[in-house]
C-alpha cells in the first residue's frame, strides 16, 4: 500500500497522444541532474571527492552531462546534491583567482576551459538531504520546476556529444505530450541491471508507447530487453505521483514506480536509442569510457591510439608467451610422469 511522505520544501540556491493539460505543449527549458549519491563503488577515491567530479580525460563526468543539456537548448539546470558535494558547486562557479592568474600569463586556452563550466547554463543547486532514491531526488526539484515539463539527466550515463538523443526526446515530448524515457536494447543477461519497459509500436521507427515498467527485474520476469537509460523528459504530473509513491526496491523511492503509474494511463513514450553511450557506473565501465573518449579527441587521439596499439600488441605477445610457457611446462610434466612407462614399453617390446 502506498503511503504519503513529506515532499522537500527547501528552495534552491542559484550558482500515443496524451490528454493535454496546462503543461502539455510547454517548451522544455529546465533540466534536473541528480548528484547526491555516495559513490561507494569508487571508494576510496570518492571518500572526499564526489563521484560526479571524477575526471573523464580532463573534464569531470558531470560537465559532459551539463554540456549535453545545454546543447539541447536547456539553459536552466538544477543539480540535486548532498553533503560533501561542494566541489560540484565550485566547479560550475567562477574561480576569480585562477582566472586572473591564467589571464596574466596570456594562457587563453586554459582560461576558456576554466570559464566554460560557469557559462554553460544558469545553474542552481539544492541538497537532497536524506538519500531516499532517484524518485525522491526528482521530487526535490518540484519547487524549482513548478508546473513545467523538464528533463532529468543521470551522471552515470554519458551520451556521445555527436548524438542527438535528448533533442529527439524533446521532439517526441512536443508531439505526444506526457513523459518520455530513453530506451536501449540490452542483452538478456543484463536486464537485471536496469528498469525495463513493456512497449507497443507507435508508428514511428524509434518511438514506442510504454505500457509498463519494472525496476531491475530478474531475467525471466523482464517484459522486454528495452532498458531505461539515464535520460528522461518528464511531465510535471510525475510530482503528484511521487508524493504518494512508497519506497520500493532497496527501500528507496523509485522513479520507475512513478512512471509505471503514468504509463498505465497511456502518457509515457520511449525513444529507442542505438547510438554511442558510455557508462561510468562502475570501475571497469569508467575505464572503458576514459579510453574511448580519449581516442576520439583530436588533440589526444592520434598519439594515444598509437601508444594503445603498441600496448595491446605487447599484451598479446606476453599472453602468447605465457601460453607457450604453460604448454611446455605441461609437456615436461607429462614426460616426467610417463618416462618409466616408455622404458617399460621398450622392455616389453624387446
Amino acid at each position: 500500500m502506498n503511503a504519503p511522505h513529506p515532499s522537500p520544501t527547501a528552495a534552491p540556491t542559484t550558482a500515443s497522444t496524451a490528454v493535454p493539460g496546462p503543461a502539455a505543449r510547454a517548451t522544455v527549458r529546465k533540466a534536473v541532474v541528480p548528484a547526491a549519491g555516495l559513490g561507494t563503488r569508487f571508494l576510496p577515491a570518492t571518500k572526499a571527492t564526489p563521484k560526479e567530479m571524477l575526471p573523464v580525460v580532463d573534464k569531470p563526468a558531470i560537465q559532459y552531462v551539463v554540456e549535453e543539456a545545454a546543447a539541447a537548448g536547456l539553459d536552466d539546470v538544477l543539480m540535486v546534491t548532498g553533503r560533501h558535494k561542494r566541489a560540484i558547486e565550485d566547479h560550475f562557479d567562477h574561480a576569480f583567482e585562477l582566472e586572473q592568474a591564467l589571464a596574466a600569463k596570456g594562457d587563453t586556452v586554459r582560461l576558456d576551459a576554466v570559464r566554460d563550466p560557469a557559462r554553460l547554463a544558469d545553474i542552481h543547486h539544492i541538497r537532497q538531504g536524506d538519500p531516499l532514491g532517484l524518485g525522491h531526488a526528482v521530487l526535490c526539484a518540484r519547487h524549482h520546476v513548478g508546473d513545467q515539463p523538464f528533463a532529468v539527466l543521470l551522471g552515470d550515463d554519458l551520451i556521445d556529444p555527436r548524438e542527438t538523443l535528448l533533442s529527439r526526446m524533446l521532439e517526441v515530448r512536443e508531439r505526444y505530450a506526457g513523459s518520455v524515457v530513453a530506451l536501449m536494447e540490452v542483452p538478456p543477461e543484463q536486464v537485471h541491471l536496469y528498469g525495463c519497459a513493456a512497449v507497443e509500436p507507435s508508428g514511428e521507427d524509434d518511438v514506442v508507447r510504454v505500457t509498463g515498467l519494472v525496476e531491475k527485474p530478474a531475467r525471466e520476469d523482464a517484459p522486454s530487453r528495452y532498458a531505461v537509460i539515464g535520460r528522461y523528459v518528464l511531465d510535471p504530473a510525475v510530482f503528484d505521483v511521487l508524493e504518494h509513491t512508497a519506497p520500493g526496491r532497496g527501500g528507496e523511492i523509485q522513479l520507475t514506480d512513478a512512471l509505471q503509474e503514468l504509463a498505465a494511463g497511456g502518457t509515457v513514450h520511449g525513444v529507442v536509442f542505438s547510438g554511442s553511450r558510455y557508462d561510468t557506473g562502475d570501475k571497469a565501465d569508467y575505464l572503458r569510457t576514459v579510453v574511448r573518449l580519449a581516442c576520439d579527441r583530436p588533440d589526444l587521439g592520434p598519439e594515444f591510439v598509437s601508444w594503445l596499439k603498441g600496448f595491446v600488441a605487447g599484451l598479446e605477445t606476453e599472453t602468447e608467451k605465457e601460453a607457450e610457457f604453460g604448454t611446455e611446462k605441461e609437456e615436461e610434466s607429462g614426460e616426467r610422469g610417463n618416462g618409466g612407462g616408455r622404458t617399460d614399453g621398450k622392455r616389453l617390446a624387446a
Side-chain angles (χ1 to χ4, degrees), residues 31-66:
V32 175
V33 181
L38 298 176
T40 54
R41 284 178 290 183
F42 284 86
L43 286 171
T46 51
K47 179 182 177 182
T49 301
K51 71 169 184 174
E52 297 84 5
M53 291 300 295
L54 294 178
V56 179
V57 188
D58 57 359
K59 292 189 293 189
I62 197 168
Q63 184 171 333
Y64 290 88
V65 175
V66 177

Side-chain angles (χ1 to χ4, degrees), residues 59 105 144 179 194 219 232 282 305 326 344:
K59 292 189 293 189
K105 293 179 180 178
H144 182 80
S179 297
Y194 301 88
R219 178 173 177 172
Y232 310 81
D282 62 38
V305 169
D344 291 345

